[in-house]
Amino acid sequence: MDPKIDSSAPISTGTTIIGVTYNGGVVLGADSRTSTGVYVANRASDKITQLTDNVYVCRSGSAADSQVVSDYVRYFLHQHTIQLGQPATVKVAANLIRLLSYSNKKMLQTGMIVGGWDKYEGGKIYGVPLGGTIIEQPFAIGGSGSSYLYGFFDQAWKEGMTKEEAEQLVVKAVSLAIARDGASGGVVRTVTINSEGVTKNFYPGDQLPLWYEELEPQNSLLDIQTEAVPMSI
C-alpha cells in the first residue's frame, strides 16, 4: 500500500441521481461513476435498483450501505406482496427505506430517491436523504452533483410534462452535473415507470449534450488539434 495514502481517512463518494414526475408516471435517472476518494472504482455502475415490478430506487452515498438497504427492502416488499396478494405501493416502499435509514442513521451514509407507479396514487417520487427523512416531491435530486442543479430545475421544471419532456429533462440535468461535478461521470441511465410498465434507456457519454467549454469526445488525446498561440507575458 502507498504509505502516502491514509486508509483511515473518510471516503468521498459522489454521484448524481434524479427523480421526476410527469403526466402519467415517473422518470428516474443517474450517472454511472462510482468513486472512492480520487479514484474511479467503477465507471459504468447501475445506480437505479429494482425493488418491485413497479418501484425502483436511485442510490447515492456509500455504495455498500445503499445496496444492503435495497436488498432488505426488496425482501420485505416480496413478503408484503405475498401476504396481501397484490403489489406494494410506492409509499410503502419509500416508508420501508425511511424506516431502515432512520433506525440506522448513525451507521448509514446513503441518500435515496424512490420512484414508481401504483394504481392508487399513480406516479410518485419520494426523497429519503441522509438521516432518514421522507419527503414526497414532484421532483427530487441527490448526490454530489445535485448542488449544480437546483437553479437549473427552478428554471426548467414545469407541471404536466409529457413522458418525452421528462426524459429529456432528466438526461439534460444529469449531463450538466457530469460536466460540472468531478465525482459524477460515465453514462446516463434512465428508468420510466407508468401504467404500461417499465422502460429502461441508456445514453453513452458521447451522445450527451455538451456544455460550455466542454471538449467533444475523442478516441485519443492526440486527435485534439489546436493551433499554437503565443502566450502573453
Side-chain angles (χ1 to χ4, degrees), residues 35-105:
S35 56
T36 56
V38 297
Y39 299 100
V40 177
N42 187 346
R43 63 179 183 174
S45 58
D46 189 352
K47 302 175 184 178
I48 308 177
T49 301
Q50 183 180 19
L51 297 179
T52 69
D53 290 342
N54 61 311
V55 183
Y56 282 68
V57 61
C58 297
R59 303 177 290 107
S60 69
S62 168
D65 290 353
S66 64
Q67 285 171 353
V68 74
V69 170
S70 299
D71 289 343
Y72 271 112
V73 171
R74 188 184 305 109
Y75 170 76
F76 291 144
L77 290 175
H78 181 66
Q79 298 298 318
H80 178 86
T81 301
I82 291 175
Q83 291 174 357
L84 293 185
Q86 62 181 6
T89 64
V90 185
K91 182 181 290 186
V92 168
N95 272 290
L96 278 173
I97 288 181
R98 185 269 309 168
L99 180 63
L100 285 174
S101 297
Y102 184 78
S103 300
N104 301 280
K105 59 181 178 292

Short mmCIF file of all heavy atoms in Angstrom, two decimals, residues 35-105:
data_model
loop_
_atom_site.label_atom_id
_atom_site.label_comp_id
_atom_site.label_asym_id
_atom_site.label_seq_id
_atom_site.Cartn_x
_atom_site.Cartn_y
_atom_site.Cartn_z
N SER A 35 -16.97 6.37 -7.22
CA SER A 35 -15.63 6.82 -6.85
C SER A 35 -15.30 6.49 -5.41
O SER A 35 -16.19 6.42 -4.55
CB SER A 35 -15.50 8.33 -7.08
OG SER A 35 -16.50 9.03 -6.35
N THR A 36 -14.02 6.26 -5.15
CA THR A 36 -13.52 6.09 -3.79
C THR A 36 -12.40 7.11 -3.62
O THR A 36 -11.27 6.88 -4.03
CB THR A 36 -12.98 4.67 -3.56
OG1 THR A 36 -11.97 4.39 -4.55
CG2 THR A 36 -14.07 3.64 -3.69
N GLY A 37 -12.75 8.24 -3.05
CA GLY A 37 -11.78 9.32 -2.97
C GLY A 37 -11.52 9.88 -4.35
O GLY A 37 -12.43 10.29 -5.05
N VAL A 38 -10.23 9.91 -4.75
CA VAL A 38 -9.87 10.46 -6.06
C VAL A 38 -9.86 9.38 -7.13
O VAL A 38 -9.59 9.67 -8.29
CB VAL A 38 -8.49 11.14 -6.01
CG1 VAL A 38 -8.52 12.32 -5.06
CG2 VAL A 38 -7.40 10.16 -5.59
N TYR A 39 -10.14 8.13 -6.77
CA TYR A 39 -10.11 7.02 -7.72
C TYR A 39 -11.53 6.69 -8.19
O TYR A 39 -12.48 6.73 -7.42
CB TYR A 39 -9.49 5.77 -7.09
CG TYR A 39 -8.05 5.97 -6.66
CD1 TYR A 39 -7.74 6.21 -5.33
CD2 TYR A 39 -7.01 5.92 -7.58
CE1 TYR A 39 -6.43 6.40 -4.94
CE2 TYR A 39 -5.70 6.10 -7.20
CZ TYR A 39 -5.42 6.34 -5.87
OH TYR A 39 -4.12 6.54 -5.49
N VAL A 40 -11.64 6.34 -9.46
CA VAL A 40 -12.91 5.87 -10.01
C VAL A 40 -12.92 4.35 -9.94
O VAL A 40 -12.21 3.68 -10.68
CB VAL A 40 -13.10 6.34 -11.47
CG1 VAL A 40 -14.39 5.78 -12.04
CG2 VAL A 40 -13.11 7.87 -11.54
N ALA A 41 -13.70 3.81 -9.01
CA ALA A 41 -13.73 2.36 -8.82
C ALA A 41 -14.52 1.65 -9.90
O ALA A 41 -14.20 0.53 -10.28
CB ALA A 41 -14.33 2.04 -7.44
N ASN A 42 -15.58 2.29 -10.38
CA ASN A 42 -16.41 1.70 -11.43
C ASN A 42 -17.00 2.83 -12.26
O ASN A 42 -17.68 3.70 -11.73
CB ASN A 42 -17.53 0.84 -10.80
CG ASN A 42 -18.32 0.07 -11.83
OD1 ASN A 42 -18.23 0.32 -13.03
ND2 ASN A 42 -19.11 -0.89 -11.37
N ARG A 43 -16.73 2.83 -13.56
CA ARG A 43 -17.22 3.92 -14.40
C ARG A 43 -18.54 3.60 -15.08
O ARG A 43 -19.07 4.43 -15.81
CB ARG A 43 -16.18 4.26 -15.46
CG ARG A 43 -15.89 3.14 -16.44
CD ARG A 43 -14.86 3.58 -17.45
NE ARG A 43 -14.62 2.53 -18.46
CZ ARG A 43 -13.85 2.69 -19.53
NH1 ARG A 43 -13.25 3.84 -19.73
NH2 ARG A 43 -13.69 1.71 -20.39
N ALA A 44 -19.07 2.41 -14.88
CA ALA A 44 -20.32 2.03 -15.57
C ALA A 44 -21.28 1.32 -14.62
O ALA A 44 -21.97 0.39 -15.01
CB ALA A 44 -20.01 1.13 -16.76
N SER A 45 -21.34 1.76 -13.37
CA SER A 45 -22.23 1.12 -12.40
C SER A 45 -23.68 1.53 -12.65
O SER A 45 -23.96 2.57 -13.22
CB SER A 45 -21.82 1.50 -10.97
OG SER A 45 -21.85 2.90 -10.81
N ASP A 46 -24.59 0.68 -12.19
CA ASP A 46 -26.02 0.94 -12.34
C ASP A 46 -26.56 1.35 -10.98
O ASP A 46 -26.64 0.54 -10.05
CB ASP A 46 -26.74 -0.31 -12.84
CG ASP A 46 -28.20 -0.04 -13.21
OD1 ASP A 46 -28.68 1.09 -12.94
OD2 ASP A 46 -28.86 -0.94 -13.77
N LYS A 47 -26.94 2.61 -10.84
CA LYS A 47 -27.38 3.16 -9.55
C LYS A 47 -28.90 3.19 -9.40
O LYS A 47 -29.41 3.72 -8.42
CB LYS A 47 -26.82 4.57 -9.37
CG LYS A 47 -25.29 4.62 -9.44
CD LYS A 47 -24.78 6.04 -9.38
CE LYS A 47 -23.27 6.08 -9.55
NZ LYS A 47 -22.74 7.46 -9.54
N ILE A 48 -29.62 2.63 -10.38
CA ILE A 48 -31.08 2.56 -10.31
C ILE A 48 -31.45 1.10 -10.09
O ILE A 48 -31.27 0.27 -10.98
CB ILE A 48 -31.74 3.10 -11.58
CG1 ILE A 48 -31.20 4.50 -11.91
CG2 ILE A 48 -33.25 3.15 -11.41
CD1 ILE A 48 -31.76 5.08 -13.19
N THR A 49 -31.94 0.79 -8.89
CA THR A 49 -32.16 -0.59 -8.46
C THR A 49 -33.64 -0.91 -8.38
O THR A 49 -34.42 -0.12 -7.84
CB THR A 49 -31.50 -0.83 -7.09
OG1 THR A 49 -30.10 -0.55 -7.19
CG2 THR A 49 -31.69 -2.27 -6.62
N GLN A 50 -34.01 -2.07 -8.89
CA GLN A 50 -35.41 -2.50 -8.85
C GLN A 50 -35.76 -3.03 -7.46
O GLN A 50 -35.03 -3.83 -6.88
CB GLN A 50 -35.66 -3.60 -9.88
CG GLN A 50 -37.10 -4.06 -9.94
CD GLN A 50 -37.32 -5.15 -10.99
OE1 GLN A 50 -36.38 -5.80 -11.40
NE2 GLN A 50 -38.55 -5.33 -11.41
N LEU A 51 -36.88 -2.55 -6.91
CA LEU A 51 -37.41 -3.07 -5.65
C LEU A 51 -38.58 -4.01 -5.89
O LEU A 51 -38.66 -5.07 -5.29
CB LEU A 51 -37.83 -1.91 -4.74
CG LEU A 51 -36.72 -0.95 -4.30
CD1 LEU A 51 -37.30 0.16 -3.43
CD2 LEU A 51 -35.62 -1.68 -3.56
N THR A 52 -39.50 -3.60 -6.75
CA THR A 52 -40.61 -4.45 -7.18
C THR A 52 -40.81 -4.21 -8.68
O THR A 52 -40.07 -3.45 -9.29
CB THR A 52 -41.92 -4.13 -6.43
OG1 THR A 52 -42.39 -2.83 -6.84
CG2 THR A 52 -41.71 -4.13 -4.93
N ASP A 53 -41.83 -4.83 -9.25
CA ASP A 53 -42.10 -4.63 -10.67
C ASP A 53 -42.44 -3.18 -10.99
O ASP A 53 -42.23 -2.73 -12.13
CB ASP A 53 -43.28 -5.52 -11.12
CG ASP A 53 -42.90 -6.99 -11.13
OD1 ASP A 53 -41.69 -7.29 -11.13
OD2 ASP A 53 -43.82 -7.84 -11.12
N ASN A 54 -42.96 -2.44 -10.00
CA ASN A 54 -43.44 -1.08 -10.27
C ASN A 54 -42.72 0.00 -9.46
O ASN A 54 -43.09 1.16 -9.51
CB ASN A 54 -44.95 -0.99 -9.98
CG ASN A 54 -45.26 -1.30 -8.53
OD1 ASN A 54 -44.80 -2.30 -7.98
ND2 ASN A 54 -46.06 -0.46 -7.89
N VAL A 55 -41.69 -0.37 -8.71
CA VAL A 55 -40.98 0.58 -7.86
C VAL A 55 -39.47 0.39 -8.01
O VAL A 55 -38.97 -0.74 -7.91
CB VAL A 55 -41.36 0.44 -6.37
CG1 VAL A 55 -40.64 1.51 -5.54
CG2 VAL A 55 -42.87 0.55 -6.18
N TYR A 56 -38.76 1.49 -8.23
CA TYR A 56 -37.30 1.48 -8.33
C TYR A 56 -36.73 2.51 -7.37
O TYR A 56 -37.45 3.42 -6.91
CB TYR A 56 -36.84 1.81 -9.75
CG TYR A 56 -36.97 0.65 -10.73
CD1 TYR A 56 -38.21 0.19 -11.13
CD2 TYR A 56 -35.84 0.02 -11.25
CE1 TYR A 56 -38.34 -0.86 -12.02
CE2 TYR A 56 -35.95 -1.03 -12.14
CZ TYR A 56 -37.20 -1.47 -12.52
OH TYR A 56 -37.31 -2.51 -13.40
N VAL A 57 -35.44 2.40 -7.07
CA VAL A 57 -34.78 3.34 -6.17
C VAL A 57 -33.45 3.78 -6.77
O VAL A 57 -32.72 2.96 -7.33
CB VAL A 57 -34.58 2.72 -4.77
CG1 VAL A 57 -33.69 1.49 -4.83
CG2 VAL A 57 -33.99 3.74 -3.80
N CYS A 58 -33.16 5.08 -6.69
CA CYS A 58 -31.86 5.62 -7.08
C CYS A 58 -30.99 5.72 -5.82
O CYS A 58 -31.44 6.23 -4.80
CB CYS A 58 -32.01 7.00 -7.71
SG CYS A 58 -32.94 7.05 -9.24
N ARG A 59 -29.75 5.27 -5.93
CA ARG A 59 -28.87 5.18 -4.77
C ARG A 59 -27.73 6.18 -4.86
O ARG A 59 -27.13 6.34 -5.91
CB ARG A 59 -28.30 3.76 -4.65
CG ARG A 59 -29.36 2.68 -4.55
CD ARG A 59 -28.77 1.29 -4.49
NE ARG A 59 -28.16 0.89 -5.76
CZ ARG A 59 -26.86 0.82 -5.98
NH1 ARG A 59 -26.00 1.14 -5.02
NH2 ARG A 59 -26.39 0.44 -7.16
N SER A 60 -27.40 6.82 -3.72
CA SER A 60 -26.24 7.71 -3.66
C SER A 60 -25.58 7.54 -2.30
O SER A 60 -26.14 6.97 -1.38
CB SER A 60 -26.66 9.18 -3.85
OG SER A 60 -27.40 9.65 -2.75
N GLY A 61 -24.36 8.09 -2.19
CA GLY A 61 -23.61 7.93 -0.95
C GLY A 61 -22.78 6.66 -0.97
O GLY A 61 -22.24 6.27 -2.00
N SER A 62 -22.69 6.00 0.16
CA SER A 62 -21.94 4.75 0.24
C SER A 62 -22.63 3.66 -0.57
O SER A 62 -23.79 3.34 -0.32
CB SER A 62 -21.82 4.31 1.71
OG SER A 62 -21.32 2.99 1.80
N ALA A 63 -21.90 3.09 -1.51
CA ALA A 63 -22.49 2.04 -2.36
C ALA A 63 -22.89 0.83 -1.52
O ALA A 63 -23.96 0.24 -1.73
CB ALA A 63 -21.51 1.64 -3.45
N ALA A 64 -22.04 0.45 -0.57
CA ALA A 64 -22.35 -0.73 0.26
C ALA A 64 -23.60 -0.50 1.10
O ALA A 64 -24.47 -1.38 1.19
CB ALA A 64 -21.15 -1.04 1.17
N ASP A 65 -23.72 0.69 1.69
CA ASP A 65 -24.89 0.99 2.52
C ASP A 65 -26.17 0.99 1.70
O ASP A 65 -27.19 0.41 2.11
CB ASP A 65 -24.72 2.35 3.20
CG ASP A 65 -23.64 2.34 4.27
OD1 ASP A 65 -23.12 1.24 4.57
OD2 ASP A 65 -23.30 3.42 4.78
N SER A 66 -26.14 1.64 0.55
CA SER A 66 -27.35 1.72 -0.28
C SER A 66 -27.75 0.37 -0.83
O SER A 66 -28.94 0.06 -0.96
CB SER A 66 -27.15 2.72 -1.42
OG SER A 66 -26.14 2.30 -2.30
N GLN A 67 -26.76 -0.48 -1.14
CA GLN A 67 -27.06 -1.81 -1.66
C GLN A 67 -27.71 -2.70 -0.60
O GLN A 67 -28.67 -3.42 -0.89
CB GLN A 67 -25.78 -2.46 -2.19
CG GLN A 67 -25.32 -1.89 -3.52
CD GLN A 67 -23.95 -2.39 -3.92
OE1 GLN A 67 -23.26 -3.07 -3.16
NE2 GLN A 67 -23.52 -2.04 -5.14
N VAL A 68 -27.20 -2.63 0.64
CA VAL A 68 -27.77 -3.50 1.67
C VAL A 68 -29.17 -3.04 2.06
O VAL A 68 -30.07 -3.87 2.31
CB VAL A 68 -26.84 -3.57 2.90
CG1 VAL A 68 -26.89 -2.30 3.73
CG2 VAL A 68 -27.18 -4.78 3.77
N VAL A 69 -29.42 -1.72 2.06
CA VAL A 69 -30.77 -1.23 2.33
C VAL A 69 -31.73 -1.69 1.23
O VAL A 69 -32.84 -2.15 1.50
CB VAL A 69 -30.77 0.31 2.44
CG1 VAL A 69 -32.20 0.84 2.48
CG2 VAL A 69 -30.03 0.76 3.69
N SER A 70 -31.29 -1.59 -0.02
CA SER A 70 -32.12 -2.03 -1.15
C SER A 70 -32.44 -3.51 -1.06
O SER A 70 -33.58 -3.94 -1.32
CB SER A 70 -31.41 -1.73 -2.47
OG SER A 70 -31.17 -0.36 -2.63
N ASP A 71 -31.45 -4.32 -0.67
CA ASP A 71 -31.67 -5.76 -0.56
C ASP A 71 -32.69 -6.10 0.52
O ASP A 71 -33.57 -6.95 0.33
CB ASP A 71 -30.35 -6.47 -0.26
CG ASP A 71 -29.40 -6.48 -1.45
OD1 ASP A 71 -29.86 -6.23 -2.58
OD2 ASP A 71 -28.19 -6.72 -1.25
N TYR A 72 -32.56 -5.44 1.67
CA TYR A 72 -33.52 -5.69 2.75
C TYR A 72 -34.93 -5.27 2.34
O TYR A 72 -35.91 -6.00 2.56
CB TYR A 72 -33.11 -4.92 4.01
CG TYR A 72 -32.18 -5.68 4.92
CD1 TYR A 72 -30.86 -5.28 5.09
CD2 TYR A 72 -32.62 -6.79 5.63
CE1 TYR A 72 -30.00 -5.97 5.92
CE2 TYR A 72 -31.77 -7.50 6.46
CZ TYR A 72 -30.46 -7.08 6.60
OH TYR A 72 -29.61 -7.78 7.43
N VAL A 73 -35.07 -4.09 1.73
CA VAL A 73 -36.39 -3.59 1.35
C VAL A 73 -37.00 -4.47 0.27
O VAL A 73 -38.20 -4.76 0.29
CB VAL A 73 -36.28 -2.12 0.88
CG1 VAL A 73 -37.59 -1.66 0.26
CG2 VAL A 73 -35.90 -1.22 2.03
N ARG A 74 -36.20 -4.93 -0.68
CA ARG A 74 -36.71 -5.83 -1.71
C ARG A 74 -37.28 -7.11 -1.08
O ARG A 74 -38.34 -7.61 -1.49
CB ARG A 74 -35.60 -6.18 -2.70
CG ARG A 74 -36.11 -6.96 -3.92
CD ARG A 74 -34.98 -7.39 -4.83
NE ARG A 74 -34.16 -6.27 -5.26
CZ ARG A 74 -32.92 -6.05 -4.85
NH1 ARG A 74 -32.35 -6.88 -3.99
NH2 ARG A 74 -32.24 -5.02 -5.29
N TYR A 75 -36.57 -7.64 -0.10
CA TYR A 75 -37.03 -8.86 0.60
C TYR A 75 -38.35 -8.59 1.34
O TYR A 75 -39.30 -9.37 1.24
CB TYR A 75 -35.96 -9.34 1.58
CG TYR A 75 -36.42 -10.42 2.51
CD1 TYR A 75 -36.57 -11.74 2.07
CD2 TYR A 75 -36.72 -10.13 3.83
CE1 TYR A 75 -37.00 -12.73 2.93
CE2 TYR A 75 -37.15 -11.12 4.70
CZ TYR A 75 -37.30 -12.42 4.25
OH TYR A 75 -37.72 -13.39 5.10
N PHE A 76 -38.41 -7.48 2.08
CA PHE A 76 -39.63 -7.15 2.84
C PHE A 76 -40.82 -6.92 1.90
O PHE A 76 -41.94 -7.33 2.20
CB PHE A 76 -39.39 -5.92 3.70
CG PHE A 76 -38.43 -6.14 4.83
CD1 PHE A 76 -37.56 -5.14 5.22
CD2 PHE A 76 -38.39 -7.34 5.52
CE1 PHE A 76 -36.66 -5.33 6.26
CE2 PHE A 76 -37.50 -7.56 6.55
CZ PHE A 76 -36.64 -6.54 6.92
N LEU A 77 -40.58 -6.26 0.79
CA LEU A 77 -41.67 -6.00 -0.16
C LEU A 77 -42.16 -7.28 -0.81
O LEU A 77 -43.36 -7.42 -1.12
CB LEU A 77 -41.20 -5.01 -1.23
CG LEU A 77 -40.98 -3.57 -0.77
CD1 LEU A 77 -40.41 -2.73 -1.90
CD2 LEU A 77 -42.27 -2.96 -0.26
N HIS A 78 -41.24 -8.22 -1.04
CA HIS A 78 -41.65 -9.52 -1.58
C HIS A 78 -42.59 -10.24 -0.61
O HIS A 78 -43.63 -10.79 -1.01
CB HIS A 78 -40.41 -10.38 -1.86
CG HIS A 78 -40.71 -11.72 -2.43
ND1 HIS A 78 -41.26 -11.90 -3.68
CD2 HIS A 78 -40.55 -12.98 -1.91
CE1 HIS A 78 -41.43 -13.19 -3.91
NE2 HIS A 78 -41.02 -13.86 -2.85
N GLN A 79 -42.24 -10.23 0.69
CA GLN A 79 -43.11 -10.83 1.69
C GLN A 79 -44.44 -10.09 1.79
O GLN A 79 -45.51 -10.71 1.92
CB GLN A 79 -42.40 -10.80 3.06
CG GLN A 79 -41.11 -11.58 3.11
CD GLN A 79 -41.31 -13.06 2.83
OE1 GLN A 79 -42.27 -13.67 3.31
NE2 GLN A 79 -40.43 -13.65 2.03
N HIS A 80 -44.38 -8.76 1.69
CA HIS A 80 -45.58 -7.94 1.75
C HIS A 80 -46.54 -8.29 0.60
O HIS A 80 -47.75 -8.40 0.79
CB HIS A 80 -45.16 -6.46 1.67
CG HIS A 80 -46.31 -5.50 1.69
ND1 HIS A 80 -46.89 -5.05 2.85
CD2 HIS A 80 -46.98 -4.89 0.68
CE1 HIS A 80 -47.86 -4.21 2.55
NE2 HIS A 80 -47.94 -4.09 1.24
N THR A 81 -45.99 -8.47 -0.60
CA THR A 81 -46.80 -8.80 -1.77
C THR A 81 -47.45 -10.17 -1.63
O THR A 81 -48.62 -10.35 -1.98
CB THR A 81 -45.93 -8.75 -3.04
OG1 THR A 81 -45.37 -7.44 -3.18
CG2 THR A 81 -46.76 -9.08 -4.27
N ILE A 82 -46.71 -11.13 -1.10
CA ILE A 82 -47.27 -12.48 -0.91
C ILE A 82 -48.42 -12.45 0.09
O ILE A 82 -49.47 -13.08 -0.12
CB ILE A 82 -46.16 -13.43 -0.43
CG1 ILE A 82 -45.15 -13.67 -1.55
CG2 ILE A 82 -46.76 -14.77 0.03
CD1 ILE A 82 -43.95 -14.50 -1.13
N GLN A 83 -48.25 -11.69 1.18
CA GLN A 83 -49.26 -11.65 2.22
C GLN A 83 -50.53 -10.95 1.76
O GLN A 83 -51.65 -11.38 2.07
CB GLN A 83 -48.71 -10.95 3.47
CG GLN A 83 -47.62 -11.75 4.18
CD GLN A 83 -46.99 -10.97 5.31
OE1 GLN A 83 -47.31 -9.80 5.54
NE2 GLN A 83 -46.08 -11.60 6.03
N LEU A 84 -50.38 -9.85 0.99
CA LEU A 84 -51.55 -9.08 0.56
C LEU A 84 -52.14 -9.58 -0.75
O LEU A 84 -53.28 -9.29 -1.07
CB LEU A 84 -51.18 -7.61 0.41
CG LEU A 84 -50.83 -6.83 1.68
CD1 LEU A 84 -50.62 -5.37 1.36
CD2 LEU A 84 -51.92 -6.99 2.74
N GLY A 85 -51.33 -10.29 -1.54
CA GLY A 85 -51.80 -10.78 -2.82
C GLY A 85 -51.87 -9.72 -3.89
O GLY A 85 -52.57 -9.89 -4.90
N GLN A 86 -51.18 -8.59 -3.70
CA GLN A 86 -51.14 -7.53 -4.69
C GLN A 86 -49.84 -6.75 -4.52
O GLN A 86 -49.23 -6.79 -3.46
CB GLN A 86 -52.34 -6.59 -4.54
CG GLN A 86 -52.40 -5.86 -3.21
CD GLN A 86 -53.63 -4.97 -3.12
OE1 GLN A 86 -54.49 -4.97 -3.98
NE2 GLN A 86 -53.72 -4.20 -2.05
N PRO A 87 -49.41 -6.03 -5.58
CA PRO A 87 -48.13 -5.31 -5.50
C PRO A 87 -48.14 -4.23 -4.42
O PRO A 87 -49.18 -3.61 -4.14
CB PRO A 87 -47.98 -4.70 -6.89
CG PRO A 87 -48.89 -5.49 -7.77
CD PRO A 87 -50.02 -5.94 -6.91
N ALA A 88 -46.99 -4.00 -3.82
CA ALA A 88 -46.85 -2.93 -2.83
C ALA A 88 -46.90 -1.58 -3.52
O ALA A 88 -46.51 -1.43 -4.68
CB ALA A 88 -45.53 -3.09 -2.08
N THR A 89 -47.40 -0.58 -2.81
CA THR A 89 -47.46 0.78 -3.36
C THR A 89 -46.10 1.45 -3.23
O THR A 89 -45.22 1.00 -2.49
CB THR A 89 -48.52 1.61 -2.63
OG1 THR A 89 -48.12 1.76 -1.25
CG2 THR A 89 -49.88 0.94 -2.69
N VAL A 90 -45.96 2.56 -3.95
CA VAL A 90 -44.71 3.33 -3.88
C VAL A 90 -44.51 3.87 -2.47
O VAL A 90 -43.39 3.89 -1.95
CB VAL A 90 -44.74 4.49 -4.89
CG1 VAL A 90 -43.39 5.22 -4.91
CG2 VAL A 90 -45.10 4.00 -6.28
N LYS A 91 -45.58 4.29 -1.83
CA LYS A 91 -45.49 4.85 -0.47
C LYS A 91 -44.99 3.81 0.52
O LYS A 91 -44.18 4.12 1.41
CB LYS A 91 -46.85 5.39 -0.03
CG LYS A 91 -46.85 6.03 1.36
CD LYS A 91 -48.23 6.52 1.75
CE LYS A 91 -48.64 7.72 0.94
NZ LYS A 91 -49.92 8.30 1.43
N VAL A 92 -45.45 2.57 0.39
CA VAL A 92 -44.98 1.51 1.29
C VAL A 92 -43.49 1.28 1.12
O VAL A 92 -42.74 1.16 2.10
CB VAL A 92 -45.77 0.21 1.02
CG1 VAL A 92 -45.10 -0.98 1.72
CG2 VAL A 92 -47.21 0.34 1.50
N ALA A 93 -43.03 1.21 -0.13
CA ALA A 93 -41.60 1.01 -0.39
C ALA A 93 -40.77 2.15 0.17
O ALA A 93 -39.72 1.93 0.81
CB ALA A 93 -41.37 0.87 -1.90
N ALA A 94 -41.22 3.39 -0.04
CA ALA A 94 -40.48 4.54 0.46
C ALA A 94 -40.43 4.57 1.98
O ALA A 94 -39.40 4.90 2.58
CB ALA A 94 -41.13 5.83 -0.06
N ASN A 95 -41.53 4.18 2.63
CA ASN A 95 -41.55 4.17 4.10
C ASN A 95 -40.66 3.07 4.67
O ASN A 95 -40.10 3.24 5.76
CB ASN A 95 -42.98 4.02 4.60
CG ASN A 95 -43.68 5.36 4.76
OD1 ASN A 95 -43.34 6.14 5.65
ND2 ASN A 95 -44.64 5.63 3.89
N LEU A 96 -40.53 1.95 3.97
CA LEU A 96 -39.60 0.92 4.43
C LEU A 96 -38.16 1.43 4.37
O LEU A 96 -37.37 1.19 5.29
CB LEU A 96 -39.76 -0.34 3.59
CG LEU A 96 -40.91 -1.27 3.97
CD1 LEU A 96 -41.06 -2.39 2.94
CD2 LEU A 96 -40.69 -1.87 5.35
N ILE A 97 -37.82 2.11 3.29
CA ILE A 97 -36.47 2.69 3.19
C ILE A 97 -36.27 3.75 4.26
O ILE A 97 -35.21 3.83 4.90
CB ILE A 97 -36.25 3.27 1.78
CG1 ILE A 97 -36.10 2.13 0.77
CG2 ILE A 97 -35.03 4.19 1.75
CD1 ILE A 97 -35.85 2.57 -0.64
N ARG A 98 -37.30 4.56 4.49
CA ARG A 98 -37.22 5.57 5.54
C ARG A 98 -37.00 4.93 6.91
O ARG A 98 -36.17 5.38 7.71
CB ARG A 98 -38.51 6.39 5.53
CG ARG A 98 -38.54 7.58 6.50
CD ARG A 98 -39.11 7.21 7.86
NE ARG A 98 -40.39 6.53 7.75
CZ ARG A 98 -40.98 5.92 8.77
NH1 ARG A 98 -40.37 5.83 9.95
NH2 ARG A 98 -42.15 5.31 8.61
N LEU A 99 -37.71 3.84 7.19
CA LEU A 99 -37.60 3.17 8.49
C LEU A 99 -36.19 2.62 8.72
O LEU A 99 -35.60 2.81 9.79
CB LEU A 99 -38.63 2.05 8.57
CG LEU A 99 -38.66 1.22 9.86
CD1 LEU A 99 -39.03 2.11 11.04
CD2 LEU A 99 -39.65 0.06 9.74
N LEU A 100 -35.65 1.96 7.70
CA LEU A 100 -34.30 1.41 7.83
C LEU A 100 -33.25 2.51 7.94
O LEU A 100 -32.31 2.41 8.73
CB LEU A 100 -33.99 0.50 6.64
CG LEU A 100 -34.65 -0.88 6.63
CD1 LEU A 100 -34.36 -1.60 5.32
CD2 LEU A 100 -34.18 -1.71 7.81
N SER A 101 -33.41 3.57 7.14
CA SER A 101 -32.44 4.66 7.15
C SER A 101 -32.45 5.40 8.48
O SER A 101 -31.39 5.74 9.02
CB SER A 101 -32.73 5.63 6.00
OG SER A 101 -32.61 4.99 4.76
N TYR A 102 -33.64 5.66 9.00
CA TYR A 102 -33.74 6.41 10.26
C TYR A 102 -33.28 5.57 11.45
O TYR A 102 -32.59 6.06 12.35
CB TYR A 102 -35.17 6.89 10.48
CG TYR A 102 -35.33 7.74 11.72
CD1 TYR A 102 -34.92 9.07 11.72
CD2 TYR A 102 -35.86 7.21 12.88
CE1 TYR A 102 -35.04 9.85 12.86
CE2 TYR A 102 -35.98 7.98 14.03
CZ TYR A 102 -35.58 9.30 14.01
OH TYR A 102 -35.69 10.07 15.14
N SER A 103 -33.64 4.29 11.45
CA SER A 103 -33.27 3.42 12.56
C SER A 103 -31.77 3.20 12.65
O SER A 103 -31.25 2.88 13.72
CB SER A 103 -33.99 2.06 12.43
OG SER A 103 -35.39 2.22 12.43
N ASN A 104 -31.08 3.34 11.51
CA ASN A 104 -29.63 3.11 11.47
C ASN A 104 -28.87 4.35 11.02
O ASN A 104 -27.82 4.25 10.41
CB ASN A 104 -29.34 1.94 10.53
CG ASN A 104 -30.02 0.66 10.95
OD1 ASN A 104 -29.56 -0.06 11.83
ND2 ASN A 104 -31.14 0.36 10.31
N LYS A 105 -29.41 5.53 11.34
CA LYS A 105 -28.85 6.77 10.81
C LYS A 105 -27.43 7.04 11.28
O LYS A 105 -26.69 7.76 10.61
CB LYS A 105 -29.75 7.95 11.16
CG LYS A 105 -29.99 8.19 12.64
CD LYS A 105 -30.93 9.37 12.81
CE LYS A 105 -31.24 9.64 14.27
NZ LYS A 105 -32.06 8.55 14.87
#
